[in-house]
Amino acid sequence: GLADHPEVVQAAKDAMDKFGFGLSSVRFICGTQSIHKQLERDIARFHEMDDTILYPSCFDANAGLFEAILGPEDAIISDALNHASIIDGVRLCKARRFRYTHMDMQDLESKLIEAKDARVRLIATDGVFSMDGDVAPLRDICDLAEKHDALVFIDECHATGFFGETGRGTIEHCDVHGRVAILNSTLGKALGGGTGGYTTGMQSVIDILRQKARPYLFSNSVAPPVVGASIKVFDMLSKGDNPYVAKVRDNTHLFRD
């Protein structure tokens, strides 16, 4: 119910009145306004991460991530049923690529062992898989990552805002706070239904992305109305008594049961 919620609509109007419809610029020229930095802080706080970087979409976030942070000496180990945007993003980077059978932890471990000589091993998975609704076994994935000195990346487009007790996604559902290094998600689904995406995670990763991620460097800044509305959405979701997550859960049970 957030896409046409009066408070969200008003926040978009207020942002447009103050900052204009668009900024006609990429972030590093004149496309960064105070509300962009505020939204990035709010997202990082919501996910309990160090920092956040905004993109025009999460497809762009996935396209910009792997090429910027991984090189030929690294390895990426990806679930076989990952979203198309993850697959395309992986194709852009020069890291060695390994694909493990969907949600098969034995096969994941075999790929981690095969990639043991890599400088960085990054496990990439959707949190909730979009086509079948499968939930990645994040606790087992994090256990294997820690056992084999790997990092974990998850795409939370189909979980952020409504999955988990307070809408904080698969990390919350699986209780792996602090064990996932990088998270990508969207502002265009549960979080108001507009557009925009983001990467949130380790400070060192976000710092690299601001310097090297092509979709960030060469795309216009997210429009002020979207940013203003998104700030309001995260504010509403961060309140302890918000009814929105429970409403989605109740509606799901109504149709399923």
Side-chain angles (χ1 to χ4, degrees), residues 27 36 39-40 43 52-56 187 197-198 216 222 227:
R27 282 286 300 270
H36 293 88
L39 178 56
E40 288 172 336
I43 293 171
T52 301
I53 181 172
L54 295 173
Y55 290 91
L187 303 172
Y198 58 86
Y216 172 82
V222 180
V227 177

Side-chain angles (χ1 to χ4, degrees), residues 39-224:
L39 178 56
E40 288 172 336
R41 290 192 300 269
D42 290 349
I43 293 171
R45 189 179 306 113
F46 182 79
H47 289 292
E48 299 180 8
M49 295 291 193
D50 294 340
D51 200 0
T52 301
I53 181 172
L54 295 173
Y55 290 91
S57 71
C58 191
F59 203 111
D60 286 321
N62 284 337
L65 175 66
F66 307 106
E67 180 186 26
I69 67 171
L70 299 175
E73 63 272 40
D74 303 316
I76 182 163
I77 304 102
S78 183
D79 188 289
L81 295 187
N82 274 341
H83 191 269
S85 59
I86 299 175
I87 294 169
D88 285 357
V90 169
R91 286 172 174 165
L92 291 172
C93 80
K94 294 181 171 64
R96 296 161 58 198
R97 305 168 196 169
F98 300 85
R99 184 173 63 181
Y100 65 93
T101 304
H102 179 51
M103 292 174 44
D104 185 328
M105 296 299 96
Q106 184 174 349
D107 194 33
L108 172 57
E109 182 161 31
S110 72
K111 297 301 190 294
L112 285 165
I113 293 170
E114 190 176 350
K116 64 182 179 180
D117 60 336
R119 180 187 65 172
V120 173
R121 287 159 299 285
L122 180 67
I123 302 169
T125 181
D126 278 298
V128 175
F129 289 82
S130 61
M131 301 308 294
D132 297 320
D134 297 335
V135 179
L138 270 190
R139 188 173 298 180
D140 294 337
I141 290 172
C142 289
D143 287 345
L144 287 174
E146 290 161 6
K147 178 180 177 181
H148 294 279
D149 192 26
L151 299 175
V152 178
F153 157 81
I154 62 171
D155 181 311
E156 285 281 73
C157 286
H158 305 97
T160 302
F162 63 93
F163 194 59
E165 186 65 28
T166 65
R168 286 169 169 81
T170 318
I171 289 177
E172 181 175 52
H173 177 75
C174 296
D175 191 21
V176 291
H177 293 284
R179 303 178 69 189
V180 173
I182 310 166
L183 182 156
N184 281 4
S185 195
T186 180
L187 303 172
K189 290 188 169 66
L191 303 180
T195 186
Y198 58 86
T199 297
T200 188
M202 301 163 58
Q203 189 67 60
S204 57
V205 170
I206 304 303
D207 289 344
I208 290 172
L209 293 176
R210 290 201 193 281
Q211 300 298 320
K212 295 181 64 178
R214 289 174 178 264
Y216 172 82
L217 292 170
F218 301 110
S219 296
N220 266 21
S221 178
V222 180

